[in-house]
Structures are given as structure tokens and as C-alpha cells.
Amino acid sequence: MQKFTKTFYDENKKNNVSYVLSSSLLGNSIASDLMEGFAEITGHYNCRSRDQAWRSVVKFVRYICSIGINESSVGLDIVSGFAEYLKKSERLKKTNGTHYNFIRRLIRSISESSINSVWFDQGLKYESFKREEKCGRDNQISAGQLKRIATACKKEVAAIKERFSLREYVEHNDLSMHPSYTERELTELKQLILNEQRGIWTQKELLIDGQSVLASSGLRRHSSYKELTMEAVLPIFLLIMIQTASNPFSLMEINRDCILDNPLDPNSVTLEWSKQRASTAQKISLLRAGNFSVYTLIQLIVDMTDPIRHLASDADRDFLFITRTGCKAKRLSSQGLHNYLDRFRVNHSFEHFTFTDIRRAVAELVYDHTNSVKEVKKVLQHRDERTTMLYLRGDAVVQRRYEKVAIFQGQMLLLTQNRAEENYETVLGFECSAPFTGIAGESKEGEACLEFLMCATCKNAVVPIDDPHTVARIVRAQDHLEKLEIKSLLDHEDRQRFNKVYRPILDIIKNEVLSKVTIKTLKLAENLKLTMPNLPVLV
């Protein structure tokens, strides 16, 4: 059995990370090809993306081992087979899509360079793993629930502040004067703080130093009074997330020097952090004041980590969030943070939610107050609004969109009620020669047609191009649609709606109608258009 290893430098942890693949079930040539292809594709990846790619490789190896592939296998479309293998799992479609897309790219790369026949005749057909309309892992958090979560966090943070304030007290005051703690507890805490200066942290070290009584005094309980613990991290972490809508993974590795002063406003600061795969630093302006402001919370963390920061490695020392285990201080563990989130939910009787649910809830709350995808995009600091839209899938947001459509339909109906029925004029300026034929869209024969947005393409539309009043209505509609087009460029959702609903109408007005109108009629129409009403729009 041979093991194939590829080693990469982890720029985040500042150490080498190795990925190993055994040839026991695959054979040497297949294992070697997979590792060479993996190294070629992921050589420029950041460490987290490479770990994700490796998980895809592990799943692919498990699949090809299950079908018994070897060096002599020929004619098997293993990529398509892997897609079917993924479909049988209970994973999310978007997760399966990620695994499939990487493996498809990996096998394509291998097939171009390897002479191994097993990689020949790979169809590499495109398999679509469309994201679920409603993700089974999404948990809806209402504004009221988010407020209750924040309130619970604030209560815990207040208790954390009180406990940590005891450290300064025992270092500078008479131990007999504190009202909430016994003299023995204060004496033990002070001795543990003095031991820090001698590099004594663990129970084993206390026993070796002859401090057996102190070794059995409950070191874990004392830790919460003198340094940052994982239990204390959780409510602070959640409060910062709620106020900044930051990505949880980015927040875990935010730098200690993340607060920048605002030279133009002493009452505000800038929070700056890095986000993997983002081309620029993430920034947000925040107020200093407040017992639970982000600025105050970060200052609290800095104070609580100062006693243990010298125990951290060079790779972890500059992270804001570090906690101590034994004689070492390390960056946050993702799994550890999730474990404490489980405890937090149980302790406060909250329904299941994740860190991602918090970010989505903040996004939906911003959308509810601003009615703008652009504003949500700014808060989440996304480059592409399509990414932002993935966070706006909650029931309340969808219902709000339906309400917009209903308001729009109401505006259209109001205009039709006010028009002169004998003329059959439409809101777009066209006239209709047969409004009761029921040929447009969902209109019904014998009933007046209400498919107003189909007039420009309907065969019953009539445009007297020599009538200034008719042309004025159409010119007015053109002006309004062009303004709407410019506005839609700022919002992905508006742009999609414009291209779907209004673009065909505007093109016909500009290219098919007004191009045939005489200059004299256009001049008369320009003078009349100011008396025409605006076109109702779906915003």
C-alpha cells in the first residue's frame, strides 16, 4: 500500500497542512492522478476552500471504491455516476452541486494530462443541482424573536462584565471588602492571578508546585472571573452578529485591531475585518456609545484576552477571539462555538437557530424597513445582488412582494376606471380596436380586456400616428419607462422586473412607433405630454 501526500502552506494558521490518499483500494495510478489533479486545481485556493474541495474528493473516492473501479476499467462515465450517487443522499442540492462541480472540473483536468485509460470517454455532461426554493436548514427568526435573543445575550454579557470586574478588584483592593464573594474565594482568585505571572495555569502544574488545595478549588469556575472563556464568547459573538450582520466565519477570525478611529467624528468608529474570497476589507461605521455597542463589546474582549494573549502562537495572537485550554491560547473552534450555541438555546428555551439564521434575519429586517435589496446588499457587504437574494427567502419577505404586486394591480385598475370607455384608451397610450375579443393573455371574450402590459404587442392595438394627443400619451409613457430603466440599474430585483415586463414595451415604442411619427406631430406631442398621467410601476 502506498500513500500519496500533498502539502500546502496554510497562510491563516501559518503552518503546513497535508492531504493524504491511500492506494489500497484505488491502485497507485488512480490515487496518484487524483492527488496531482487536486494539487493543480487547488494550489491557489485559500485554506478553507481547499478543505471544502478535499471533502468533495473524499466523497468521490468513496463512490469509486463502492463501484470497484481500477486501472483497467474502461468506458465508465464515472462523473455522471457520481452525480446519481449524490442525488441519492439527503444532503442539500446546493451542497451536492458544489461536490459535483469540483469533481467534474477535477476529472476534466486529469483526463487532459493522464494516460490512464480509466479517465477516457468521460461524458462530463452538465448536471444541475438547483438550489432548494426553501432550504430545509433555514430557520425563520422574526423581528420579535431576534429581539428576545438580543435581550438574552445582553443579560449574559452584563453578568460577564460583573464577573470579570472582580479581577481588577482583587488586584487592587482589600479582599475583605467585596460584598458578593467570600474572603476565601477572593484569596483563591488572587493566588491564581499571581500564578499567571509564574506561568502556572493547569491543575497538574499546581500540584507540582505544591498548591494542592488551590488545584482542587474549581479552576474552571475561577476562569470565568479572570479571562475570556468559550461560554462568555457566545453571547458577545451573537450581539456583534446582530448589530453588524457579519459572516460568522469572518467574525470568528476578526483581528484584535479591528476598531479604527473616525478622525471626523469622535462619537463613531469604523469596524474593519477581512472576509475570505472578498477582494477588499469589510467595513462598517458604528457608534462608540452604548453598554452593548459593538465598540464596547470589542473593548471588553480585548481586556478579557490580555491575560492569556501571550500564550497564543504567532498565527493566533492577533485574533480578537482567543480562549485558553491548559497552557495554550487558541483561536475559536467552529465546532466549539456551535456546541455553546446549543447550550444557549436550551438555557433560554429558544427554538433551533444557527448563526447563519441570525444573519438572514437581520437581512430580512433591513429589507422590511428599507424595501430595498440594494440596502440589504450594502449591510451584508455583497458584491453581487444575486448573493443577497439568497438571504431574502423568508415567508415575510415573499408576502411583501405579493403585496407589491397587489398594489400595482390596483393602480392599473384605477386608471382603467377613469378612462373614457368609448375611446378604449390604454395606460400606455395605445388605443384598442377590439377590447372584448379576449385574445390577449388572460382576458376573456365578452369582457373588457385588462391585459394592459400586452398592448404594445397585441394585434388589436391602434396607434393614430398623426394624432398629437395619442402620440403625447405614448411619448409620456416612453419618458416614464426610460426613467424606470435607469432606476432599475441600481437594484437586481428591479432590473429583472424591468427586463421582463417593460423592456419589450419600451423597445416597440422607440423602434416601431415613434420612429414613424412626423417631426411636426412630435413637437405638438411634446407640448401636450406634460398633461398626461404617469405610468403605474411595480416597485
Side-chain angles (χ1 to χ4, degrees):
M1 179 183 70
Q2 186 175 351
K3 290 187 177 180
F4 296 86
T5 304
K6 291 295 178 182
T7 302
F8 303 86
Y9 180 71
D10 186 335
E11 70 285 350
N12 193 8
K13 295 184 178 179
K14 295 182 173 59
N15 59 11
N16 290 326
V17 177
S18 295
Y19 302 87
V20 182
L21 187 60
S22 171
S23 65
S24 59
L25 295 176
L26 298 173
N28 290 342
S29 63
I30 292 180
S32 176
D33 285 344
L34 287 173
M35 290 306 289
E36 291 299 326
F38 175 76
E40 180 180 351
I41 292 177
T42 66
H44 67 286
Y45 281 18
N46 63 52
C47 54
R48 185 169 291 147
S49 295
R50 189 182 296 113
D51 286 343
Q52 174 61 47
W54 182 249
R55 285 191 282 271
S56 300
V57 172
V58 170
K59 287 176 174 56
F60 180 66
V61 168
R62 190 177 298 137
Y63 162 69
I64 60 178
C65 286
S66 70
I67 63 175
I69 195 172
N70 54 54
E71 288 94 336
S72 61
S73 300
V74 180
L76 288 176
D77 189 351
I78 54 178
V79 179
S80 299
F82 182 58
E84 296 302 321
Y85 172 79
L86 291 172
K87 289 178 180 178
K88 295 176 182 177
S89 74
E90 296 182 356
R91 283 184 295 270
L92 295 177
K93 292 179 182 178
K94 63 178 182 179
T95 305
N96 283 335
T98 299
H99 292 313
Y100 171 77
N101 289 335
F102 178 79
I103 294 302
R104 184 171 182 266
R105 183 181 175 196
L106 174 66
I107 300 307
R108 175 185 291 164
S109 174
I110 294 173
S111 65
E112 292 174 352
S113 58
S114 174
I115 60 173
N116 196 328
S117 60
V118 72
W119 310 119
F120 297 170
D121 300 322
Q122 293 300 314
L124 297 174
K125 70 176 183 179
Y126 177 75
E127 288 285 346
S128 177
F129 290 87
K130 188 178 180 182
R131 286 174 178 262
E132 292 84 351
E133 288 295 326
K134 194 171 185 65
C135 178
R137 295 181 184 174
D138 292 350
N139 304 282
Q140 296 296 319
I141 300 178
S142 66
Q145 290 171 320
L146 195 63
K147 184 176 181 179
R148 289 193 293 274
I149 292 171
T151 299
C153 289
K154 289 177 181 178
K155 289 181 180 178
E156 291 203 10
V157 170
I160 291 167
K161 286 182 177 180
E162 181 182 355
R163 286 197 300 268
F164 187 68
S165 67
L166 191 60
R167 179 183 179 108
E168 183 178 2
Y169 177 84
V170 300
E171 288 179 312
H172 302 98
N173 293 279
D174 182 355
L175 300 185
S176 62
M177 296 299 292
H178 199 282
S180 304
Y181 302 89
T182 66
E183 186 174 349
R184 176 181 173 179
E185 289 174 328
L186 296 174
T187 302
E188 290 174 347
L189 183 60
K190 184 163 188 174
Q191 187 58 47
L192 287 172
I193 293 173
L194 293 174
N195 282 336
E196 292 176 2
Q197 302 171 12
R198 300 172 57 205
I200 299 175
W201 297 87
T202 67
Q203 187 179 54
K204 182 178 180 180
E205 291 170 337
L206 288 170
L207 292 173
I208 293 174
D209 196 57
Q211 302 183 59
S212 56
V213 175
L214 193 58
S216 59
S217 64
L219 299 185
R220 183 172 296 179
R221 177 174 59 86
H222 283 303
S223 294
S224 63
Y225 294 95
K226 63 189 187 74
E227 65 194 59
L228 184 68
T229 63
M230 278 296 293
E231 187 175 12
V233 165
L234 195 279
I236 298 173
F237 190 90
L238 283 176
L239 270 183
I240 295 177
M241 271 204 71
I242 291 172
Q243 295 181 70
T244 63
S246 54
N247 181 292
F249 288 108
S250 300
L251 183 57
M252 283 176 59
E253 298 181 353
I254 194 170
N255 196 280
R256 173 180 52 170
D257 300 323
C258 56
I259 293 292
L260 305 176
D261 291 331
N262 185 342
L264 301 178
D265 183 5
N267 296 318
S268 67
V269 294
T270 298
L271 177 67
E272 180 178 282
W273 70 96
S274 298
K275 179 181 176 183
Q276 292 197 20
R277 295 179 295 182
S279 57
T280 58
Q282 312 286 289
K283 294 182 180 180
I284 184 173
S285 181
L286 301 163
L287 293 176
R288 287 178 181 269
N291 291 331
F292 303 101
S293 69
V294 172
Y295 173 79
T296 302
L297 294 173
I298 288 177
Q299 291 304 119
L300 175 62
I301 299 167
V302 170
D303 292 341
M304 295 182 75
T305 54
D306 274 347
I308 61 174
R309 195 162 291 278
H310 67 284
L311 301 176
S313 66
D314 291 341
D316 294 352
R317 191 165 297 149
D318 290 332
F319 285 130
L320 175 65
F321 290 103
I322 56 172
T323 57
R324 180 182 63 84
T325 302
C327 313
K328 295 182 179 180
K330 298 181 179 180
R331 70 183 72 190
L332 295 184
S333 157
S334 176
Q335 186 58 57
L337 198 60
H338 279 87
N339 291 342
Y340 276 93
L341 179 61
D342 289 339
R343 298 186 190 183
F344 178 84
R345 290 194 302 261
V346 171
N347 291 341
H348 296 281
S349 301
F350 289 128
E351 294 183 1
H352 185 83
F353 68 86
T354 65
F355 295 114
T356 303
D357 295 327
I358 291 288
R359 194 169 190 230
R360 185 178 295 106
V362 175
E364 292 182 352
L365 193 60
V366 172
Y367 182 79
D368 186 56
H369 279 75
T370 64
N371 196 26
S372 169
V373 176
K374 181 182 176 182
E375 289 300 316
V376 180
K377 173 176 172 284
K378 186 188 301 182
V379 170
L380 298 184
Q381 306 208 34
H382 288 153
R383 285 189 302 175
D384 194 329
E385 288 182 4
R386 288 175 296 182
T387 305
T388 305
M389 290 302 297
L390 298 176
Y391 286 80
L392 299 176
R393 298 182 298 181
D395 295 338
V397 174
V398 173
Q399 180 61 33
R400 191 178 183 91
R401 291 175 188 158
Y402 284 136
E403 290 172 357
K404 290 182 186 179
V405 174
I407 293 172
F408 171 73
Q409 290 174 334
Q411 291 175 325
M412 299 292 277
L413 288 170
L414 184 62
L415 277 183
T416 62
Q417 292 170 358
N418 293 335
R419 70 184 183 182
E421 287 295 329
E422 62 276 9
N423 294 329
Y424 300 115
E425 298 173 352
T426 73
V427 293
L428 294 173
F430 298 91
E431 294 183 5
C432 185
S433 62
F436 298 97
T437 55
I439 66 169
E442 299 296 323
S443 62
K444 297 179 180 179
E445 185 177 358
E447 297 181 8
C449 177
L450 299 179
E451 298 292 328
F452 315 116
L453 297 178
M454 300 184 69
C455 295
T457 57
C458 180
K459 69 178 184 179
N460 288 335
V462 178
V463 184
I465 58 175
D466 58 347
D467 179 11
H469 289 84
T470 299
V471 175
R473 293 201 309 273
I474 295 177
V475 171
R476 183 63 170 147
Q478 178 191 16
D479 291 347
H480 201 67
L481 290 174
E482 286 177 343
K483 290 178 182 178
L484 184 62
E485 180 183 22
I486 294 173
K487 181 181 177 182
S488 72
L489 296 177
L490 304 176
D491 189 290
H492 173 71
E493 191 175 2
D494 287 348
R495 185 163 63 252
Q496 282 188 321
R497 186 180 299 117
F498 181 88
N499 290 333
K500 177 76 172 177
V501 178
Y502 298 115
R503 173 76 64 191
I505 302 171
L506 181 59
D507 289 344
I508 288 174
I509 287 176
K510 292 169 65 175
N511 302 324
E512 303 295 333
V513 177
L514 295 183
S515 62
K516 297 180 175 63
V517 178
T518 64
I519 295 177
K520 180 180 178 181
T521 303
L522 274 177
K523 287 183 178 180
L524 293 173
E526 287 289 340
N527 294 328
L528 292 171
K529 73 177 183 180
L530 298 178
T531 64
M532 305 298 168
N534 285 337
L535 178 70
V537 292
L538 184 56
V539 295

